[in-house]
Amino acid sequence: IFKSSPMNEVVNLAGRVASSSATILLQGESGTGKELLARLIHSLSPRSERGMIVVNCAALAENLLESELFGHEKGAFTGAMRRRIGRFEEADGGTLFLDELGDISPSVQVKLLRFLQEREFQRVGGNQTIRSDVRIISATNRNLEDRVKEGSFREDLFYRLNVVTITVPPLRTRKEDLPPMIEHFLRRFTVENGSEIQGIGPEAMDLLLKYDYPGNVRELENIIERAVVITRGPVISSRDLPFFREDLHKGEMETLGQGGALKEAVEALERQMIQRALETTANHQTKAANVLGISERMLRYKLNKYGLK
């Protein structure tokens, strides 16, 4: 759902590469819709009759991720009571989408590189070589070139993954897409919740169009869903919108107008942004840190500093 020329270019490029077997790397901030784009590419590909399997690489510990991707043999490690088929085997003939790939460990990077070079792998604890015809689409909200320079990501793996790169622009750079997306989410959540909401008031719409959405499309989706759920009248008003109602902006201006110190104003804004990021990501600290553009360690420090739970 888009009107902007940057997204038009993204979708056109996705359509051109879908019919190939090339490995694709999707880049962009958290919440921009990289998985949705991956599903579009899969649906337009010759592999569309087979499934697309999604693995969130950042959600699993190193040993669990290796087993998730490549499977394991019985007795390979404590708790491995039976053989497990990995995602590479399950996705044979289809597409495997590796989300948040920039966070994988060096040992998993080695096994992934071997697969991309040889199209074969071994289960954890096994010595049988297994081949699989699977297309890899990966996604990251990190700059992999910077991670290569830091030495935390293999250069040879980066070039194997970087055959075709598609960068999804953040929502704040394509404000033309906001009206059709807002309309889509409003219609969807009105139906899902059995609501009789007829539209969005002009003041509320103005706030929605001016906001920068650090959490991108995912944040917009959450905001509209929450507004639909809490609104009691036929029209969503500015008071039904979280975080950026006019009274918040007025409060910030009043603080500055009363001679508040710059440090205090900055800390108030920082605290508000952290609370917003946490609520947008359902209190998932890794994702919240990504939304804010800081490390998890820095986020934990600021949570303690501001007494946020």
Side-chain angles (χ1 to χ4, degrees), residues 273-285:
M273 290 181 67
I274 291 172
Q275 289 175 315
R276 182 185 301 159
L278 287 169
E279 184 157 346
T280 299
T281 59
N283 291 321
H284 191 297
Q285 289 190 15

Side-chain angles (χ1 to χ4, degrees), residues 22 29 38 58 82 88 120 124 129 139 145 170 223 232 257 269 289 291:
E29 295 178 6
R82 57 186 177 84
F88 276 92
E120 61 185 33
V124 177
T129 299
E145 291 186 68
I223 287 170
R232 290 293 173 260
L269 178 60
V291 167

Side-chain angles (χ1 to χ4, degrees), residues 29 39 42 74 83 107 184 249 285 291:
E29 295 178 6
R39 292 189 182 280
H42 173 73
K74 179 180 179 180
R83 171 185 286 179
S107 63
H184 165 75
H249 295 300
Q285 289 190 15
V291 167

Side-chain angles (χ1 to χ4, degrees), residues 144-261:
L144 290 187
E145 291 186 68
D146 287 345
R147 293 182 72 81
V148 168
K149 293 175 184 177
E150 295 168 0
S152 58
F153 201 88
R154 294 180 64 102
E155 185 176 20
D156 45 6
L157 175 58
F158 171 68
Y159 288 120
R160 286 285 181 178
L161 294 168
N162 195 29
V163 177
V164 176
T165 299
I166 302 178
T167 301
V168 185
L171 192 53
R172 63 181 173 275
T173 66
R174 46 187 179 99
K175 290 292 186 77
E176 311 97 295
D177 294 335
L178 281 172
M181 293 176 74
I182 291 170
E183 181 182 350
H184 165 75
F185 288 133
L186 179 63
R187 186 167 54 246
R188 170 184 155 190
F189 291 122
T190 298
V191 172
E192 287 183 6
N193 292 281
S195 172
E196 297 182 357
I197 292 174
Q198 299 171 7
I200 299 177
E203 190 177 324
M205 180 62 78
D206 186 56
L207 289 174
L208 288 170
L209 296 178
K210 287 180 178 178
Y211 186 54
D212 277 343
Y213 299 97
N216 292 293
V217 180
R218 186 182 296 123
E219 183 177 11
L220 172 63
E221 182 179 8
N222 290 346
I223 287 170
I224 300 300
E225 181 177 16
R226 176 172 171 173
V228 168
V229 170
I230 67 175
T231 298
R232 290 293 173 260
V235 176
I236 294 174
S237 68
S238 60
R239 66 176 176 271
D240 299 316
L241 298 175
F243 310 129
F244 49 90
R245 297 176 309 196
E246 281 190 327
D247 56 341
L248 290 178
H249 295 300
K250 289 178 181 176
E252 293 167 4
M253 292 299 102
E254 287 170 0
T255 299
L256 291 175
Q258 293 168 1

Side-chain angles (χ1 to χ4, degrees), residues 25-66:
L25 175 63
L26 305 180
Q27 296 186 130
E29 295 178 6
S30 179
T32 50
K34 297 185 290 296
E35 182 177 337
L36 187 63
L37 186 62
R39 292 189 182 280
L40 173 65
I41 294 170
H42 173 73
S43 68
L44 295 174
S45 76
R47 300 172 180 267
S48 59
E49 293 184 1
R50 302 296 299 269
M52 185 182 93
I53 293 178
V54 178
V55 178
N56 187 322
C57 299
L60 298 169
E62 178 183 344
N63 61 326
L64 295 178
L65 177 61
E66 189 172 358

